[in-house]
Amino acid sequence: MFGIVRPCGHRLTDGLKTEWMAHLCGLCLALRSDHGQFSRIVTNYDGLIVSVLTEAQLEHTDGRRRTAGPCPLRGMRTAPVARGEGARLAAAVSLVLASAKVRDHVADRDGLLKRRPLAAAARKVATGWDRAGARTGAELGFDTAVLVDAVDRQPEIEALAGPGTPLLTVTEPSETATAAAFAHTAVLAGRPGNSAPLAEAGRLFGRLAHLLDAVEDQGADEASGAWNPLTATGTSSAEARRLADDAVRGIRLALRDAEFTDDRLAHVLLAHELRVSVDRAFGTTVCGHGDHGRHEGHGTHEGHGAYGAYEGRDSHGGPGGPPPQGNPYAGQGAGAYGPYGSNNPYGGGHPGIPGGPGGPGGMPGPVPEPPRPGRRGFWAGCAVFVGLCCTCKLCCAKEYEGPWSRKKREGCCRDCDCDGNCCDCCGCDC
């Protein structure tokens, strides 16, 4: 399940968590109903936002939920799931954009897709998803050609991009595609006045999705020699962060101009969780529970001892924030472990000198991180995904490895004391 908006369960109230799961399961089941079992692998966290926006604009009715049968990802429990045109539009959009992701993996010759027979099979699957998405879109009055056109233009734009090319030139196809999808939710809901503000929110969401994906993959892309928009255009991390922050603010402003019946979940996902997604991508924050002190991405800062070396950060993740409460020596640099700073005669100096990390009589030097494993290919990732589903690790594991990205993920019920048994805990308040 890929996507940038991955809310942690403890940040959603019980009601909103149930609603979020209803839309996620609704998207998955809409894919199965219209396009078969195999299409369910394109279920993603961002696609369900289309379903959320559609429902947020509709009047409440009894038919907007149905009870789904038992599922391994829900601990073999039934649950209310979203139904209707919003879920079907989300399915159509997810299919078309997933087909683009597959073709991108084929073009980059990732993993097993280096082999021509598998690459040919993947292209055939992607073509089938394009047709299926177009068929469902047409039934809903949505022309998926705008998505396909955006996908087709992306390689051409990337081929022409180079140092000095504005980054927004590269993100434009993603912006156009998501703007069209967001705007059509207003059409389905019968609120034409919302089309313009939701198109603006979608445009900025597409920009953010493309940008954060580039930030998270930049290190791996440089190591493998793959194309990355930040590296290709020479965009600095500071400029990328500025664009991301501007996009988040723009989405909030656009949502204020739209009229909703109940926008609580949409507001949480697009106004608050997007900020968390940006911080996660740039490594400036962590989840408020669980592995404290663990930072992912760029800008990692870990404490040392009871107080720790501290680099102050403001509310935007930049330098200059207040030191941790109770640390009288914070802000004195990486070697400031006590009142002597880097001149501490009892240890804590600079690496390689007496008393310093790695020096005689000092603390041991830093242990180098082991090399990170590369991404899995498409089919290998599918096999791992099936295994995670069948063993319920997606639901209950404290931590598991993403099937394609191999990044560390958290199970939905990771904070329950269930010892890996979904049936014991997935119905509780985590």
Side-chain angles (χ1 to χ4, degrees), residues 107-312:
D108 291 341
R109 298 172 61 84
D110 290 336
L112 295 176
L113 296 181
K114 293 178 181 178
R115 302 178 180 178
R116 290 184 179 180
L118 293 178
R123 278 192 292 266
K124 185 175 181 180
V125 169
T127 301
W129 284 347
D130 279 337
R131 294 172 180 169
R135 184 170 61 252
T136 299
E139 295 174 1
L140 300 172
F142 179 63
D143 187 2
T144 59
V146 64
L147 306 184
V148 176
D149 175 70
V151 169
D152 291 341
R153 287 189 293 109
Q154 189 70 52
E156 300 174 4
I157 292 175
E158 293 179 357
L160 297 175
T165 300
L167 185 61
L168 299 188
T169 300
V170 180
T171 63
E172 180 273 324
S174 297
E175 296 177 19
T176 301
T178 49
F182 275 40
H184 197 70
T185 65
V187 176
L188 295 180
R191 292 181 181 264
N194 284 350
S195 293
L198 291 182
E200 176 65 8
R203 183 179 67 83
L204 295 173
F205 184 87
R207 174 185 302 178
L208 198 58
H210 197 138
L211 182 60
L212 296 189
D213 183 65
V215 170
E216 292 181 338
D217 292 345
Q218 188 174 20
D221 289 343
E222 290 179 351
S224 64
W227 194 91
N228 184 281
L230 299 179
T231 304
T233 60
T235 303
S236 66
S237 178
E239 175 64 10
R241 180 64 192 248
R242 185 189 69 80
L243 291 172
D245 290 339
D246 287 347
V248 172
R249 284 191 291 269
I251 290 173
R252 290 182 176 179
L253 293 174
L255 292 178
R256 292 178 185 175
D257 294 335
E259 296 182 1
F260 297 99
T261 302
D262 182 358
D263 67 340
R264 289 178 301 161
L265 181 58
H267 179 78
V268 168
L269 295 179
L270 293 174
H272 296 284
E273 289 299 328
L274 275 183
R275 165 59 59 191
V276 175
S277 298
V278 171
D279 288 337
R280 179 174 60 239
F282 285 91
T284 55
T285 190
V286 293
C287 179
H289 74 293
D291 301 324
H292 296 286
R294 177 181 174 184
H295 297 245
E296 296 182 357
H298 307 286
T300 300
H301 298 278
E302 297 180 353
H304 300 271
Y307 292 119
Y310 176 79
E311 179 176 347

Side-chain angles (χ1 to χ4, degrees), residues 5-51:
V5 183
R6 304 189 295 269
C8 185
H10 85 285
R11 288 195 299 268
L12 297 177
T13 63
D14 291 340
L16 290 184
K17 183 177 181 181
T18 300
E19 290 294 301
W20 183 76
M21 286 298 298
H23 286 284
L24 183 63
C25 293
L27 168 58
C28 180
L29 294 176
L31 286 164
R32 184 195 67 179
S33 298
D34 289 348
H35 311 292
Q37 287 281 3
F38 183 69
S39 67
R40 299 171 78 179
I41 69 171
V42 309
T43 302
N44 66 94
Y45 293 125
D46 295 345
L48 69 88
I49 292 178
V50 173
S51 178

Side-chain angles (χ1 to χ4, degrees), residues 307-313 320-324 326-338 341:
Y307 292 119
Y310 176 79
E311 179 176 347
R313 291 193 171 274
N327 184 353
Y329 308 119
Q332 299 181 21
Y337 301 112

Side-chain angles (χ1 to χ4, degrees), residues 336-354:
Y337 301 112
Y340 298 98
S342 59
N343 297 316
N344 186 351
Y346 303 108
H350 294 290
I353 66 172

